[in-house]
């Protein structure tokens, strides 16, 4: 503990104190520190630790999950707060997650894929044939992604790999089919036609070949990107699954609590007398065992020790048992649930008779508190 | 030891900061489910064997869940009522002239009220409508509403040293630290896995706060390193309803619980439970330690009894 001063600090009212007039007395130096903390604007009641990037990233993954996106914002914040994230970390995570668009993850992936492809791929006809081929596997992969993200993620991987291979093979085949006939036609033109056309064709050929090569490279790069993102998706699956599992566990715990409460209520309704009798019986047993011989005394001690042990082990198991409510409490709850009003309630007018009644001036000087 | 029998189920008991022998009790009919309420102002007799006497009482249409004595006026009381209103009473005036004010802003039950002990001009109320409101005696409307919790706020407590800082405990399982000069909460402590029913600041170390939860434990936290508690106090058999640090001893605190007991703890020692009182026969729901008399404590519960006794003695002794 930081503040180890054994005597209470000087009895003065901090509200009246001039913050500039702090006089540290001998031995109570820590109070000077406390006063110093009070004076400086950054108070001690804020999280001064730096933002944890890992926590923020986990939160971003959590918030990006479509199931979480469907839930009210309030509960998303509350969940992250319970995980121990600070306000700054939660705000940062919210700012990193794009605003919830009504579209699904597939559409966003499609858009990403197409945005990546279009600047890389140049317009020429050969490249245009490549573009739909490259886009199609991306679309297929992303749609497969939405279909399968809640289950069968390894099927997703198999599909992705297969489609990538197919697209790679397709691009190779298409490139071959486009380049070879063009090469052949170019050779024919070079042999048969004049030098001007030769010049033109030579200009065309490198550009065509270059563009085709560039298109193939970009298709390969896009395929590699898709492979990477799908890998990342796989990795993040675990994190999301964990968060979701915890979410679900919390809900399950709530449901179990309600179930146990309702069973306890049912039990109590039928067994109030037994409860009272057993309570009295326990006390007698304890007294009797303590009053007996040494052996029984140790038994009694053991019993007594067991009791706090039992009750203190219960919190460790994180199980809360509902306290047995009085019988009359249960009766009144039942009555109220049925819509009946208990008979003993009076109609009372508790409104101020004179709402503008002047509040009297203080008569006594407030007494100095010991802890001040 | 002085005892008082209330007609309704007890909910909260508080000693007056002005008079050593005065205390007030908030009660609600039918366990606070549905019914009237009554606020009793009691006086301790000169001899411990005599019963507590009632100086004055005020009736309300709905149950009273909590009360707070004013720190500026010796006869003023604020009551937190189950119909969402906050009522101001003057014990120097007759019941027919009371309440002085009825402030209706909360949309659900007001569960707790705490008066600022250092500024003495303001108080905060915590409600099941998920908000905390800041009020002063002279204004007819709240000054600020603090809305961040996502579930009922069960308790709000001013920091005993920092006039603008307070903490709130909620059913959303978090404790939030607030500064009235800031727009939102300055710290969030996800203290327990179950609802947190009460929080209280240490009167000698302004960075230490205790939380009482449905999970039967009390945790003691240092806000400077709030990821893990300094101490976890186990021993109650059911949910812990209230916790209060001692105004006289740095390490001591009292708690009351649905296990019908009132416990005294020293959170700095290994075996923290230093006292246990089993005088109540129903849920013990209210407990307080006197600021003016060292060791004087009071408790109330659903068994409609109010006990006042000195720590170390038996509350039920005649």
């Amino acid at each position: 503990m930081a503040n180890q001063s054994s005597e209470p600090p000087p009895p003065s009212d901090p509200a009246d104190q001039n913050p500039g007039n702090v006089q540290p007395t001998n031995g109570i130096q820590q109070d000077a520190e406390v006063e110093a903390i009070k004076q400086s604007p950054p108070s001690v009641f804020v999280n001064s630790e730096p933002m944890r990037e890992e926590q923020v990233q986990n939160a971003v993954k959590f918030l990006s999950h479509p199931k979480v996106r469907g839930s009210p914002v309030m509960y998303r914040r509350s969940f992250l707060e319970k995980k121990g994230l600070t306000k700054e970390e939660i705000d940062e995570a919210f700012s990193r997650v794009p605003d919830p668009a009504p579209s699904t993850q597939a559409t966003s992936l499609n858009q990403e894929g197409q945005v990546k492809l279009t600047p890389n791929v140049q317009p020429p006809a050969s490249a245009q044939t490549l573009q739909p081929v490259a886009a199609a596997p991306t679309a297929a992969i992303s749609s497969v992604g939405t279909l399968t993200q809640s289950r069968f993620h390894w099927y997703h991987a198999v599909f992705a790999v297969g489609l990538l291979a197919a697209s790679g093979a397709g691009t190779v085949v298409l490139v071959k089919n486009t380049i070879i006939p063009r090469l052949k036609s170019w050779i024919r033109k070079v042999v048969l036609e004049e030098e001007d056309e030769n010049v033109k064709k030579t200009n065309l050929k490198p550009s065509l070949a270059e563009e085709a090569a560039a298109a193939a490279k970009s298709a390969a790069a896009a395929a590699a990107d898709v492979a990477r993102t799908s890998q990342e998706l796989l990795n993040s699956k675990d994190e999301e699954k964990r968060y979701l599992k915890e979410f679900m566990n919390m809900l399950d715990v709530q449901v179990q609590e309600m179930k146990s409460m309702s069973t306890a209520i049912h039990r109590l309704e039928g067994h109030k007398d037994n409860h009272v009798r057993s309570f009295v019986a326990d006390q007698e047993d304890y007294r009797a065992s303590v009053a007996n011989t040494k052996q029984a005394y140790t038994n009694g001690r053991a019993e007594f020790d067991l009791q706090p042990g039992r009750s203190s082990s219960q919190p460790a198991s994180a199980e809360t048992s509902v306290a047995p409510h009085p019988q009359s409490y249960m009766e009144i709850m039942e009555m109220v649930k049925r819509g009946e009003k208990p008979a003993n309630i009076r109609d009372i007018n508790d409104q101020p008779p004179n709402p503008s009644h002047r509040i009297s001036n203080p008569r006594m000087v407030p007494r100095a508190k010991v802890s001040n | 030891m002085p005892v008082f029998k209330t007609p309704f189920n007890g909910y909260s008991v508080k000693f007056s900061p002005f008079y050593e022998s005065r205390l007030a009790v908030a009660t609600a009919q039918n366990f606070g489910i549905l019914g009237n309420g009554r606020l009793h102002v009691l006086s301790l007799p000169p001899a411990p064997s005599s019963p507590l006497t009632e100086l004055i009482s005020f009736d309300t249409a709905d149950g009273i869940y909590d009360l707070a004595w004013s720190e500026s006026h010796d006869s003023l009381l604020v009551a937190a009522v189950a119909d969402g209103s906050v009522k101001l009473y003057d014990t120097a005036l007759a019941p027919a002239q009371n309440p002085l004010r009825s402030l209706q802003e909360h949309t659900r039950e007001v569960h707790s009220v705490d008066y600022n002990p250092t500024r003495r001009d303001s108080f905060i109320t915590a409600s099941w409508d998920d908000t905390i409101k800041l009020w002063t005696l002279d204004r007819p409307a709240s000054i600020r509403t603090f809305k961040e919790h996502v579930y009922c706020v069960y308790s709000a407590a001013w920091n005993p040293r920092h006039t603008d800082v307070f903490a709130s405990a909620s059913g959303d399982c978090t404790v939030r630290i607030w500064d009235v000069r800031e727009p939102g909460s300055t710290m969030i402590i996800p203290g327990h896995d179950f609802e947190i029913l009460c929080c209280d600041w240490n009167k000698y170390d302004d960075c230490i706060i205790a939380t009482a939860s449905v999970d039967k434990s009390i945790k003691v936290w240092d806000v400077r390193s709030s990821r893990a508690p300094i101490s976890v106090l186990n021993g109650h058999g059911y949910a812990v309803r209230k916790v209060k640090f001692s105004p006289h001893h740095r390490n001591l605190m009292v708690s009351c619980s649905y296990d019908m007991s009132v416990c005294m703890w020293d959170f700095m020692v290994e075996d923290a439970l230093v006292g246990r009182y089993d005088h109540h026969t129903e849920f013990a729901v209210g407990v307080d330690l006197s600021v003016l008399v060292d060791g004087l404590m009071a408790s109330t519960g659903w068994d409609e009894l109010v006990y006042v006794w000195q720590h170390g003695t038996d509350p039920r002794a005649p």
Side-chain angles (χ1 to χ4, degrees):
Chain A
M1 289 238 305
N3 285 359
Q4 289 296 337
S5 52
S6 52
E7 35 190 302
S12 56
D13 188 353
D16 296 333
Q17 227 176 23
N18 185 349
N21 275 352
V22 174
Q23 306 290 339
T25 56
N26 54 333
I28 316 186
Q29 272 183 342
Q30 269 136 13
D31 291 329
E33 285 177 86
V34 172
E35 302 290 10
I37 292 169
K38 255 204 293 180
Q39 288 168 44
S40 58
S43 80
V44 77
F45 300 102
V46 290
N47 267 314
S48 45
E49 296 167 34
M51 252 187 347
R52 298 163 292 172
E53 184 58 31
E54 195 198 329
Q55 298 281 24
V56 176
Q57 284 179 3
N58 285 344
V60 168
K61 285 179 194 150
F62 169 75
L63 290 170
S64 310
H65 201 282
K67 276 195 182 150
V68 174
R69 285 205 159 171
S71 65
V73 181
M74 209 168 52
Y75 294 126
R76 292 180 231 168
R77 278 203 90 99
S78 173
F79 182 79
L80 293 172
E81 282 163 6
K82 277 195 236 180
K83 288 280 146 230
L85 271 73
T86 63
K87 255 195 173 175
E88 295 81 22
E89 288 162 357
I90 296 175
D91 290 337
E92 176 65 25
F94 267 97
S95 68
R96 287 191 195 175
V97 173
D99 270 341
S103 52
T104 60
Q105 212 173 3
T107 321
S108 62
L109 255 183
N110 256 339
Q111 286 165 355
E112 279 174 29
Q114 284 168 5
V115 160
K116 273 189 205 153
L117 284 171
T118 37
N120 292 342
V121 177
Q122 298 306 311
S126 58
Q128 274 177 358
T129 54
L130 288 173
Q131 194 181 11
V133 172
T138 321
I141 287 168
S142 51
S143 59
V144 164
T146 43
L147 281 176
T148 58
Q149 59 184 288
S150 52
R151 15 163 218 158
F152 308 139
H153 55 277
W154 58 275
Y155 272 149
H156 173 211
V158 168
F159 263 119
V161 166
L163 279 163
L164 280 169
S167 72
T171 30
V172 165
V173 165
L174 271 166
V175 161
K176 273 192 182 165
N177 289 343
T178 48
I179 288 186
I180 288 173
R182 287 185 194 276
L183 271 171
K184 282 187 182 165
S185 63
W186 172 73
I187 289 169
R188 262 189 250 116
K189 281 171 189 169
V190 162
V191 167
L192 296 173
E193 287 174 4
E194 295 164 4
E195 286 180 63
D196 316 291
E197 292 179 13
N198 280 357
V199 173
K200 277 193 209 158
K201 289 333 181 261
T202 42
N203 283 342
L204 254 178
K205 173 221 165 186
S207 63
L208 264 176
E210 274 172 21
E211 284 169 59
K217 270 187 207 159
S218 64
D225 274 340
V226 170
R228 230 185 325 111
T229 46
S230 61
Q231 191 61 39
E232 272 174 25
L233 257 170
L234 275 173
N235 291 341
S236 67
K237 215 51 86 193
D238 290 332
E239 277 299 318
E240 291 168 13
K241 258 200 173 177
R242 242 189 339 110
Y243 271 115
L244 272 176
K245 265 184 195 152
E246 286 182 44
F247 218 52
M248 296 299 166
N249 283 347
M250 278 163 54
L251 285 170
D252 286 338
V253 165
Q254 298 276 16
V255 167
Q256 274 167 28
E257 276 300 298
M258 291 201 225
K259 278 187 192 160
S260 64
M261 278 209 289
S262 63
T263 49
I265 287 169
H266 287 309
R267 251 188 298 121
L268 281 169
E269 280 173 4
H271 297 110
K272 181 232 177 184
D273 290 339
N274 289 343
H275 167 71
V276 169
R277 275 202 291 270
S278 62
F279 186 78
V280 169
D282 280 344
Q283 283 186 330
E284 287 177 5
D285 281 342
Y286 166 60
R287 265 188 242 119
S289 57
V290 165
N292 278 348
T293 62
K294 225 201 265 181
Q295 185 111 41
Y297 177 71
T298 47
N299 282 343
R301 284 295 306 273
E303 263 177 40
F304 177 71
D305 286 337
L306 264 178
Q307 252 191 352
R310 247 184 270 129
S311 55
S312 60
S313 68
Q314 275 165 337
S317 67
E319 205 191 272
T320 59
S321 41
V322 180
H325 285 64
Q327 174 71 3
S328 38
Y329 177 92
M330 310 311 300
E331 286 168 0
I332 294 169
M333 283 293 274
E334 286 299 306
M335 245 206 281
V336 170
K337 274 189 216 157
R338 288 195 297 264
E340 295 171 21
K341 224 168 92 156
N344 52 4
I345 302 179
R346 281 166 43 214
D347 239 334
I348 294 177
N349 176 12
D350 57 3
Q351 292 309 305
N354 181 5
S356 50
H357 193 299
R358 203 179 59 85
I359 296 173
S360 56
N361 288 330
R363 276 179 296 260
M364 283 177 68
V365 175
R367 301 172 68 149
K369 302 270 183 327
V370 180
S371 56
N372 279 352
Chain B
M1 288 291 143
V3 183
F4 185 79
K5 168 87 177 61
T6 56
F8 302 153
N9 307 98
Y11 257 86
S12 177
V13 60
K14 295 268 175 84
F15 284 100
S16 164
F18 287 91
Y19 303 105
E20 292 117 340
S21 58
R22 194 169 294 187
L23 61 149
V25 187
T27 64
Q29 199 181 25
N30 300 324
F31 303 99
I33 301 170
L34 187 65
N36 307 128
R38 189 171 293 175
L39 189 61
H40 302 264
V41 181
L42 308 176
S43 179
L44 274 168
S49 51
S50 320
L52 290 161
T53 52
E54 182 181 274
L55 293 177
I56 193 168
S57 74
F58 305 106
D59 285 323
T60 53
D62 213 337
I64 308 179
Y65 285 160
D66 197 12
L67 73 113
W69 285 97
S70 163
E71 297 276 342
S72 55
H73 295 68
D74 61 306
S75 61
L76 291 186
L77 278 167
V78 188
V81 190
D83 61 4
S85 69
V86 178
K87 290 182 158 57
L88 182 66
Y89 289 92
D90 190 339
T91 61
L93 299 174
Q97 293 176 286
N98 272 293
L100 291 183
R101 302 281 186 270
S102 178
L103 310 162
Q104 188 85 41
E105 275 188 36
H106 281 295
T107 53
R108 282 207 62 191
E109 290 84 337
V110 188
H111 198 256
S112 146
V113 58
D114 192 37
Y115 211 98
N116 193 317
T118 37
R119 283 178 68 147
R120 305 183 208 272
D121 63 348
S122 48
F123 57 95
I124 41 175
T125 53
S127 164
W128 289 1
D129 66 3
D130 310 351
T131 67
I132 303 132
K133 281 184 189 279
L134 172 67
W135 315 76
T136 52
L137 283 179
D138 53 345
R139 302 249 200 115
S142 61
I143 300 173
R144 269 196 71 179
T145 301
F146 301 89
K147 189 175 168 66
E148 267 185 40
H149 284 293
V150 296
Y151 200 59
C152 306
V153 190
Y154 289 116
S155 163
W158 286 104
N159 188 292
R161 291 284 185 83
H162 297 262
T163 63
D164 299 309
V165 175
F166 68 91
S168 62
S170 165
D172 67 7
C173 312
T174 63
V175 165
R176 276 168 212 262
I177 316 281
W178 309 78
D179 188 321
V180 301
R181 300 162 295 192
E182 302 289 326
S185 62
T186 57
M187 267 186 85
I188 303 170
I189 306 176
H192 295 260
D193 291 329
F194 293 89
E195 295 186 293
I196 307 181
L197 299 182
C198 188
C199 61
D200 192 38
W201 295 93
N202 188 302
K203 313 293 181 241
Y204 286 87
D205 189 334
D206 52 357
C207 295
I208 294 190
I209 187 169
T211 56
S213 168
V214 168
D215 68 5
K216 310 172 203 167
S217 75
I218 301 163
K219 290 191 186 173
V220 184
W221 307 83
D222 187 326
V223 298
R224 292 165 294 208
S225 55
S226 65
R227 300 225 180 268
I230 309 176
S231 179
V232 180
L233 308 174
N234 292 312
H236 276 300
Y238 290 108
V240 187
R241 185 62 189 254
K242 288 238 168 73
V243 70
K244 176 119 198 213
F245 268 104
S246 164
H248 298 269
H249 302 274
R250 167 190 217 96
N251 301 337
L252 293 185
M253 66 168 89
V254 285
S255 66
C256 66
S257 158
Y258 283 0
D259 69 359
M260 307 180 194
S261 72
V262 171
C263 288
M264 174 84 83
W265 310 83
D266 180 339
F267 72 93
M268 292 300 289
V269 302
E270 183 64 35
D271 194 7
L273 187 61
V274 299
R276 190 191 180 99
Y277 304 96
D278 284 292
H279 48 291
H280 282 290
T281 55
E282 283 299 346
F283 292 177
V285 170
V287 69
D288 195 26
L289 287 165
S290 171
V291 173
L292 303 172
V293 181
D294 187 358
L296 191 62
M297 41 203 298
S299 75
T300 184
W302 281 8
D303 55 359
E304 299 167 2
L305 290 169
V306 182
Y307 289 90
V308 182
W309 73 102
Q310 193 73 21
H311 170 53
T313 64
D314 180 5
R316 281 190 282 203

